[in-house]
Short mmCIF file of all heavy atoms in Angstrom, two decimals:
data_model
loop_
_atom_site.label_atom_id
_atom_site.label_comp_id
_atom_site.label_asym_id
_atom_site.label_seq_id
_atom_site.Cartn_x
_atom_site.Cartn_y
_atom_site.Cartn_z
N PHE A 1164 63.03 102.92 57.25
CA PHE A 1164 62.12 103.93 57.79
C PHE A 1164 62.84 105.27 57.93
O PHE A 1164 64.02 105.32 58.28
CB PHE A 1164 61.60 103.52 59.17
CG PHE A 1164 60.94 102.17 59.21
CD1 PHE A 1164 61.24 101.26 60.20
CD2 PHE A 1164 60.01 101.81 58.25
CE1 PHE A 1164 60.64 100.02 60.26
CE2 PHE A 1164 59.40 100.57 58.29
CZ PHE A 1164 59.71 99.67 59.29
N ILE A 1165 62.12 106.34 57.71
CA ILE A 1165 62.62 107.65 58.07
C ILE A 1165 62.63 107.75 59.58
O ILE A 1165 61.70 107.29 60.26
CB ILE A 1165 61.76 108.76 57.43
CG1 ILE A 1165 61.92 108.72 55.91
CG2 ILE A 1165 62.14 110.14 57.98
CD1 ILE A 1165 61.02 109.67 55.16
N LYS A 1166 63.69 108.33 60.13
CA LYS A 1166 63.87 108.37 61.58
C LYS A 1166 62.64 108.92 62.29
O LYS A 1166 62.08 109.94 61.90
CB LYS A 1166 65.09 109.21 61.93
CG LYS A 1166 65.56 109.04 63.36
CD LYS A 1166 66.90 109.71 63.58
CE LYS A 1166 67.42 109.48 65.00
NZ LYS A 1166 68.75 110.09 65.21
N GLY A 1167 62.19 108.23 63.33
CA GLY A 1167 61.03 108.64 64.10
C GLY A 1167 59.71 108.10 63.59
O GLY A 1167 58.65 108.41 64.14
N THR A 1168 59.76 107.26 62.55
CA THR A 1168 58.53 106.72 61.96
C THR A 1168 57.75 105.84 62.94
O THR A 1168 58.32 104.98 63.60
CB THR A 1168 58.87 105.88 60.70
OG1 THR A 1168 59.36 106.75 59.69
CG2 THR A 1168 57.64 105.15 60.18
N LYS A 1169 56.44 106.09 63.01
CA LYS A 1169 55.55 105.25 63.80
C LYS A 1169 54.42 104.69 62.94
O LYS A 1169 53.86 103.64 63.25
CB LYS A 1169 54.98 106.05 64.97
CG LYS A 1169 56.04 106.45 66.01
CD LYS A 1169 55.42 107.18 67.18
CE LYS A 1169 56.49 107.56 68.21
NZ LYS A 1169 55.91 108.31 69.35
N ASN A 1170 54.08 105.40 61.87
CA ASN A 1170 53.00 104.96 60.99
C ASN A 1170 53.59 104.21 59.81
O ASN A 1170 54.03 104.79 58.82
CB ASN A 1170 52.20 106.18 60.50
CG ASN A 1170 51.04 105.77 59.59
OD1 ASN A 1170 50.78 104.58 59.39
ND2 ASN A 1170 50.36 106.75 59.03
N PHE A 1171 53.59 102.87 59.90
CA PHE A 1171 54.20 102.06 58.85
C PHE A 1171 53.30 101.90 57.63
O PHE A 1171 53.73 101.33 56.61
CB PHE A 1171 54.55 100.67 59.41
CG PHE A 1171 55.55 100.73 60.53
CD1 PHE A 1171 55.48 99.81 61.58
CD2 PHE A 1171 56.55 101.68 60.55
CE1 PHE A 1171 56.40 99.86 62.62
CE2 PHE A 1171 57.48 101.73 61.58
CZ PHE A 1171 57.40 100.82 62.62
N ALA A 1172 52.07 102.39 57.68
CA ALA A 1172 51.16 102.30 56.54
C ALA A 1172 51.35 103.45 55.56
O ALA A 1172 50.91 103.38 54.42
CB ALA A 1172 49.71 102.27 57.03
N ASP A 1173 52.02 104.51 55.99
CA ASP A 1173 52.20 105.70 55.16
C ASP A 1173 53.49 105.59 54.36
O ASP A 1173 54.58 105.56 54.92
CB ASP A 1173 52.24 106.95 56.04
CG ASP A 1173 52.20 108.24 55.23
OD1 ASP A 1173 52.43 108.19 54.01
OD2 ASP A 1173 51.95 109.31 55.83
N ILE A 1174 53.36 105.54 53.04
CA ILE A 1174 54.52 105.34 52.18
C ILE A 1174 55.51 106.50 52.27
O ILE A 1174 56.70 106.35 51.96
CB ILE A 1174 54.06 105.13 50.72
CG1 ILE A 1174 55.19 104.54 49.87
CG2 ILE A 1174 53.53 106.43 50.12
CD1 ILE A 1174 54.77 104.14 48.49
N LYS A 1175 55.06 107.66 52.74
CA LYS A 1175 55.95 108.81 52.88
C LYS A 1175 56.99 108.61 53.98
O LYS A 1175 57.97 109.36 54.04
CB LYS A 1175 55.13 110.07 53.17
CG LYS A 1175 54.20 110.49 52.04
CD LYS A 1175 53.39 111.71 52.44
CE LYS A 1175 52.42 112.10 51.33
NZ LYS A 1175 51.58 113.26 51.72
N ASN A 1176 56.79 107.61 54.82
CA ASN A 1176 57.70 107.38 55.94
C ASN A 1176 58.84 106.41 55.60
O ASN A 1176 59.52 105.93 56.50
CB ASN A 1176 56.92 106.85 57.14
CG ASN A 1176 56.02 107.92 57.73
OD1 ASN A 1176 56.32 109.11 57.66
ND2 ASN A 1176 54.90 107.51 58.30
N TYR A 1177 59.04 106.16 54.30
CA TYR A 1177 60.08 105.23 53.87
C TYR A 1177 61.12 105.97 53.01
O TYR A 1177 60.77 106.87 52.24
CB TYR A 1177 59.47 104.08 53.07
CG TYR A 1177 58.57 103.20 53.89
CD1 TYR A 1177 57.27 103.61 54.21
CD2 TYR A 1177 58.99 101.98 54.39
CE1 TYR A 1177 56.43 102.82 54.99
CE2 TYR A 1177 58.16 101.17 55.16
CZ TYR A 1177 56.89 101.60 55.45
OH TYR A 1177 56.07 100.82 56.22
N GLN A 1178 62.36 105.54 53.14
CA GLN A 1178 63.45 106.20 52.41
C GLN A 1178 63.30 106.09 50.90
O GLN A 1178 63.47 107.07 50.18
CB GLN A 1178 64.80 105.59 52.83
CG GLN A 1178 65.14 105.70 54.30
CD GLN A 1178 65.78 107.03 54.65
OE1 GLN A 1178 65.94 107.90 53.80
NE2 GLN A 1178 66.14 107.20 55.91
N ASN A 1179 62.99 104.89 50.40
CA ASN A 1179 63.01 104.68 48.95
C ASN A 1179 61.82 103.93 48.37
O ASN A 1179 61.78 103.70 47.15
CB ASN A 1179 64.30 103.93 48.55
CG ASN A 1179 65.48 104.87 48.39
OD1 ASN A 1179 65.37 105.94 47.78
ND2 ASN A 1179 66.61 104.48 48.96
N THR A 1180 60.85 103.55 49.19
CA THR A 1180 59.73 102.77 48.65
C THR A 1180 59.02 103.51 47.52
O THR A 1180 58.65 102.91 46.51
CB THR A 1180 58.73 102.41 49.75
OG1 THR A 1180 59.36 101.55 50.71
CG2 THR A 1180 57.53 101.67 49.17
N ARG A 1181 58.84 104.81 47.66
CA ARG A 1181 58.17 105.57 46.59
C ARG A 1181 58.94 105.46 45.28
O ARG A 1181 58.34 105.38 44.20
CB ARG A 1181 58.01 107.04 47.00
CG ARG A 1181 56.87 107.28 47.98
CD ARG A 1181 56.79 108.73 48.42
NE ARG A 1181 57.97 109.10 49.22
CZ ARG A 1181 58.20 110.30 49.70
NH1 ARG A 1181 57.33 111.28 49.47
NH2 ARG A 1181 59.26 110.55 50.44
N ASN A 1182 60.26 105.46 45.37
CA ASN A 1182 61.07 105.31 44.15
C ASN A 1182 60.88 103.94 43.52
O ASN A 1182 60.78 103.82 42.29
CB ASN A 1182 62.55 105.53 44.48
CG ASN A 1182 62.85 106.97 44.88
OD1 ASN A 1182 62.31 107.91 44.30
ND2 ASN A 1182 63.70 107.15 45.87
N PHE A 1183 60.84 102.89 44.36
CA PHE A 1183 60.60 101.55 43.83
C PHE A 1183 59.20 101.43 43.22
O PHE A 1183 59.02 100.80 42.17
CB PHE A 1183 60.78 100.51 44.93
CG PHE A 1183 62.19 100.37 45.44
CD1 PHE A 1183 62.46 100.30 46.80
CD2 PHE A 1183 63.27 100.30 44.56
CE1 PHE A 1183 63.76 100.17 47.27
CE2 PHE A 1183 64.57 100.18 45.02
CZ PHE A 1183 64.82 100.11 46.38
N VAL A 1184 58.21 102.03 43.86
CA VAL A 1184 56.83 102.00 43.34
C VAL A 1184 56.78 102.65 41.96
O VAL A 1184 56.18 102.12 41.01
CB VAL A 1184 55.86 102.70 44.31
CG1 VAL A 1184 54.53 103.03 43.61
CG2 VAL A 1184 55.61 101.83 45.53
N LYS A 1185 57.41 103.81 41.81
CA LYS A 1185 57.43 104.50 40.52
C LYS A 1185 58.12 103.65 39.46
O LYS A 1185 57.70 103.63 38.30
CB LYS A 1185 58.12 105.85 40.65
CG LYS A 1185 57.34 106.88 41.47
CD LYS A 1185 58.15 108.16 41.64
CE LYS A 1185 57.42 109.18 42.50
NZ LYS A 1185 58.24 110.40 42.73
N ALA A 1186 59.18 102.96 39.84
CA ALA A 1186 59.91 102.11 38.89
C ALA A 1186 59.06 100.92 38.47
O ALA A 1186 59.05 100.54 37.29
CB ALA A 1186 61.22 101.65 39.51
N VAL A 1187 58.33 100.31 39.41
CA VAL A 1187 57.44 99.20 39.07
C VAL A 1187 56.35 99.68 38.12
O VAL A 1187 56.03 99.02 37.12
CB VAL A 1187 56.81 98.58 40.34
CG1 VAL A 1187 55.73 97.57 39.96
CG2 VAL A 1187 57.87 97.90 41.20
N GLU A 1188 55.77 100.83 38.42
CA GLU A 1188 54.72 101.38 37.55
C GLU A 1188 55.24 101.65 36.14
O GLU A 1188 54.55 101.40 35.15
CB GLU A 1188 54.15 102.66 38.18
CG GLU A 1188 53.35 102.41 39.44
CD GLU A 1188 52.96 103.68 40.17
OE1 GLU A 1188 53.55 104.75 39.88
OE2 GLU A 1188 52.06 103.62 41.03
N ALA A 1189 56.47 102.16 36.05
CA ALA A 1189 57.07 102.39 34.73
C ALA A 1189 57.28 101.07 33.99
O ALA A 1189 57.07 100.98 32.78
CB ALA A 1189 58.40 103.13 34.89
N ALA A 1190 57.72 100.03 34.72
CA ALA A 1190 57.91 98.72 34.11
C ALA A 1190 56.58 98.14 33.62
O ALA A 1190 56.54 97.49 32.56
CB ALA A 1190 58.57 97.77 35.10
N ARG A 1191 55.53 98.38 34.36
CA ARG A 1191 54.23 97.86 33.95
C ARG A 1191 53.65 98.62 32.75
O ARG A 1191 52.78 98.10 32.05
CB ARG A 1191 53.25 97.90 35.14
CG ARG A 1191 53.51 96.80 36.16
CD ARG A 1191 53.22 95.44 35.58
NE ARG A 1191 53.67 94.34 36.47
CZ ARG A 1191 54.32 93.28 36.05
NH1 ARG A 1191 54.62 93.14 34.79
NH2 ARG A 1191 54.68 92.33 36.90
N ARG A 1192 54.14 99.79 32.48
CA ARG A 1192 53.75 100.47 31.23
C ARG A 1192 54.41 99.78 30.04
O ARG A 1192 53.87 99.82 28.93
CB ARG A 1192 54.14 101.95 31.28
CG ARG A 1192 53.25 102.77 32.21
CD ARG A 1192 53.42 104.26 32.02
NE ARG A 1192 54.68 104.76 32.54
CZ ARG A 1192 54.86 105.14 33.79
NH1 ARG A 1192 53.85 105.08 34.67
NH2 ARG A 1192 56.03 105.60 34.19
N TYR A 1193 55.55 99.15 30.27
CA TYR A 1193 56.20 98.35 29.23
C TYR A 1193 55.48 97.02 29.06
O TYR A 1193 55.24 96.58 27.93
CB TYR A 1193 57.67 98.12 29.61
CG TYR A 1193 58.36 97.06 28.79
CD1 TYR A 1193 58.90 97.36 27.55
CD2 TYR A 1193 58.48 95.75 29.27
CE1 TYR A 1193 59.54 96.38 26.79
CE2 TYR A 1193 59.12 94.78 28.53
CZ TYR A 1193 59.65 95.10 27.29
OH TYR A 1193 60.27 94.12 26.54
N GLU A 1194 55.17 96.35 30.16
CA GLU A 1194 54.50 95.04 30.11
C GLU A 1194 53.53 94.92 31.26
O GLU A 1194 53.93 94.86 32.41
CB GLU A 1194 55.52 93.90 30.14
CG GLU A 1194 54.91 92.51 30.17
CD GLU A 1194 53.90 92.28 29.06
OE1 GLU A 1194 54.31 92.24 27.89
OE2 GLU A 1194 52.68 92.18 29.38
N LYS A 1195 52.25 94.88 30.95
CA LYS A 1195 51.20 94.85 31.97
C LYS A 1195 51.10 93.50 32.67
O LYS A 1195 50.83 93.43 33.88
CB LYS A 1195 49.86 95.21 31.34
CG LYS A 1195 48.69 95.24 32.31
CD LYS A 1195 47.41 95.63 31.58
CE LYS A 1195 46.22 95.64 32.55
NZ LYS A 1195 44.95 96.01 31.84
N SER A 1196 51.29 92.42 31.93
CA SER A 1196 51.04 91.08 32.45
C SER A 1196 52.09 90.64 33.47
O SER A 1196 53.30 90.68 33.19
CB SER A 1196 51.00 90.07 31.31
OG SER A 1196 50.97 88.75 31.80
N ARG A 1197 51.63 90.19 34.63
CA ARG A 1197 52.55 89.65 35.64
C ARG A 1197 53.09 88.28 35.23
O ARG A 1197 54.06 87.81 35.83
CB ARG A 1197 51.84 89.54 36.99
CG ARG A 1197 51.44 90.88 37.58
CD ARG A 1197 50.99 90.73 39.01
NE ARG A 1197 50.18 91.86 39.44
CZ ARG A 1197 50.24 92.43 40.64
NH1 ARG A 1197 51.08 91.97 41.53
NH2 ARG A 1197 49.46 93.43 40.95
N ASP A 1198 52.47 87.64 34.24
CA ASP A 1198 52.99 86.37 33.74
C ASP A 1198 54.12 86.59 32.74
O ASP A 1198 55.09 85.83 32.70
CB ASP A 1198 51.89 85.55 33.08
CG ASP A 1198 50.90 85.00 34.09
OD1 ASP A 1198 51.32 84.68 35.22
OD2 ASP A 1198 49.70 84.91 33.77
N ASP A 1199 54.01 87.64 31.92
CA ASP A 1199 55.00 87.87 30.87
C ASP A 1199 56.25 88.57 31.41
O ASP A 1199 57.36 88.34 30.90
CB ASP A 1199 54.39 88.69 29.74
CG ASP A 1199 53.34 87.91 28.98
OD1 ASP A 1199 53.43 86.67 28.93
OD2 ASP A 1199 52.40 88.53 28.44
N LEU A 1200 56.10 89.45 32.40
CA LEU A 1200 57.24 90.08 33.05
C LEU A 1200 57.06 89.94 34.55
O LEU A 1200 56.16 90.53 35.14
CB LEU A 1200 57.35 91.56 32.69
CG LEU A 1200 58.51 92.31 33.37
CD1 LEU A 1200 59.86 91.76 32.91
CD2 LEU A 1200 58.42 93.81 33.10
N VAL A 1201 57.93 89.15 35.15
CA VAL A 1201 57.87 88.91 36.59
C VAL A 1201 58.78 89.93 37.28
O VAL A 1201 59.94 90.08 36.91
CB VAL A 1201 58.33 87.47 36.94
CG1 VAL A 1201 58.34 87.26 38.45
CG2 VAL A 1201 57.42 86.45 36.25
N ILE A 1202 58.24 90.62 38.29
CA ILE A 1202 58.99 91.70 38.95
C ILE A 1202 59.18 91.41 40.44
O ILE A 1202 58.21 91.10 41.14
CB ILE A 1202 58.27 93.05 38.79
CG1 ILE A 1202 58.12 93.42 37.32
CG2 ILE A 1202 59.03 94.15 39.54
CD1 ILE A 1202 57.35 94.72 37.08
N PHE A 1203 60.43 91.53 40.89
CA PHE A 1203 60.74 91.61 42.32
C PHE A 1203 61.14 93.04 42.61
O PHE A 1203 61.97 93.62 41.91
CB PHE A 1203 61.91 90.68 42.69
CG PHE A 1203 62.32 90.81 44.15
CD1 PHE A 1203 61.89 89.89 45.08
CD2 PHE A 1203 63.11 91.87 44.58
CE1 PHE A 1203 62.24 90.02 46.43
CE2 PHE A 1203 63.47 92.01 45.91
CZ PHE A 1203 63.03 91.09 46.84
N ALA A 1204 60.56 93.62 43.69
CA ALA A 1204 60.87 95.01 44.03
C ALA A 1204 60.98 95.17 45.54
O ALA A 1204 60.26 94.54 46.31
CB ALA A 1204 59.81 95.95 43.47
N GLY A 1205 61.90 96.06 45.96
CA GLY A 1205 62.01 96.42 47.36
C GLY A 1205 63.36 96.11 47.96
O GLY A 1205 64.23 95.49 47.33
N ALA A 1206 63.52 96.56 49.21
CA ALA A 1206 64.75 96.36 49.95
C ALA A 1206 64.38 96.23 51.43
O ALA A 1206 63.26 95.81 51.75
CB ALA A 1206 65.72 97.52 49.70
#
């Protein structure tokens, strides 16, 4: 969490979640199917 965070639903309040989301989206442009490419994301 970014220091002072109270709203855990807002992705802007996280240090790197937006970066992970963008990376997942880029991976899904390579392979759409969750069966053909299985992805674990986050920290």
Side-chain angles (χ1 to χ4, degrees):
F1164 305 133
I1165 293 174
K1166 194 170 183 178
T1168 292
K1169 294 183 180 178
N1170 181 5
F1171 298 146
D1173 189 345
I1174 196 173
K1175 295 178 182 178
N1176 291 330
Y1177 295 78
Q1178 300 276 2
N1179 277 315
T1180 296
R1181 282 177 293 178
N1182 293 320
F1183 293 135
V1184 164
K1185 290 176 183 177
V1187 172
E1188 291 172 344
R1191 285 293 171 225
R1192 288 193 287 273
Y1193 167 83
E1194 177 52 68
K1195 181 179 179 180
S1196 171
R1197 295 191 200 220
D1198 289 326
D1199 292 331
L1200 178 65
V1201 177
I1202 300 177
F1203 176 99

